[in-house]
Amino acid sequence: MDLAQTSVLVENSIRDLKVDPAACRGANPGQWSLVYRGSTVWIDVFTLSDNPNRWYFQIMSPLLTIPDKNSESFLQSIAEINHNLFGSWISKKDNWTYVMFRREAAGLDQNEVNASLDRVAIYCADYHGKLSFKFEGCWLPKDTRPTGNTGDS
């Protein structure tokens, strides 16, 4: 399956959610973003430069940043949760964790796109709540004020 064929499946899934796929499209072809079941979900259809004829399908949702305290216990919890997940997993990149699903697009069908979207969104919302509660107080307050010249001289 190529970008056009896989995009049809993705946009059918988004449309089935009563959301306009055009409103979810990203800056580049093969990118969509939406909020579903309380989770921000990113969908990507892409190829790699070393094999431009092989397409991949990915759904991911940002879960939580790594906590400032008890990070080893947090990561141990992630590993144990991963054992119970079906058709998706929690990954870590830099200081963030994500619920995600990725596979080659070849052989992908509408049922798998729909089920993967459901699983990623549901798992992300569920484990965001559970891990936030379990590790409450482990994230230090962050200064969210803009940096640079704010006129406060």
Side-chain angles (χ1 to χ4, degrees):
M1 295 188 80
D2 62 13
L3 175 62
Q5 295 165 318
T6 309
S7 293
V8 168
L9 298 176
V10 170
E11 295 207 349
N12 285 342
S13 283
I14 294 170
R15 201 173 289 109
D16 287 348
L17 301 175
K18 310 293 186 240
V19 176
D20 178 9
C24 300
R25 289 183 192 133
N28 298 312
Q31 296 178 336
W32 298 263
S33 178
L34 67 148
V35 175
Y36 177 53
R37 296 188 177 249
S39 299
T40 297
V41 179
W42 302 319
I43 305 170
D44 297 291
V45 177
F46 62 96
T47 187
L48 302 173
S49 60
D50 63 340
N51 192 353
N53 295 321
R54 177 174 277 172
W55 289 88
Y56 297 91
F57 168 73
Q58 173 178 284
I59 301 175
M60 64 188 292
S61 184
L63 179 60
L64 290 164
T65 59
I66 303 297
D68 301 294
K69 299 184 266 183
N70 295 330
S71 61
E72 287 184 26
S73 178
F74 177 84
L75 293 171
Q76 179 68 33
S77 292
I78 295 291
E80 291 172 5
I81 290 167
N82 268 332
H83 181 76
N84 295 316
L85 296 183
F86 177 78
S88 59
W89 55 88
I90 299 174
S91 65
K92 177 192 172 295
K93 181 172 167 89
D94 300 325
N95 199 40
W96 272 91
T97 58
Y98 301 87
V99 177
M100 68 180 299
F101 171 82
R102 180 186 302 152
R103 63 160 280 185
E104 294 166 329
L108 188 66
D109 66 26
Q110 194 66 61
N111 289 331
E112 188 172 10
V113 173
N114 295 347
S116 300
L117 181 58
D118 279 346
R119 277 194 296 270
V120 168
I122 291 167
Y123 284 151
C124 194
D126 184 40
Y127 286 109
H128 182 276
K130 289 176 179 175
L131 290 165
S132 295
F133 178 78
K134 181 176 181 178
F135 292 93
E136 184 176 7
C138 291
W139 289 272
L140 297 175
K142 304 291 190 267
D143 185 357
T144 58
R145 293 179 295 176
T147 58
N149 185 357
T150 60
D152 294 338
S153 319

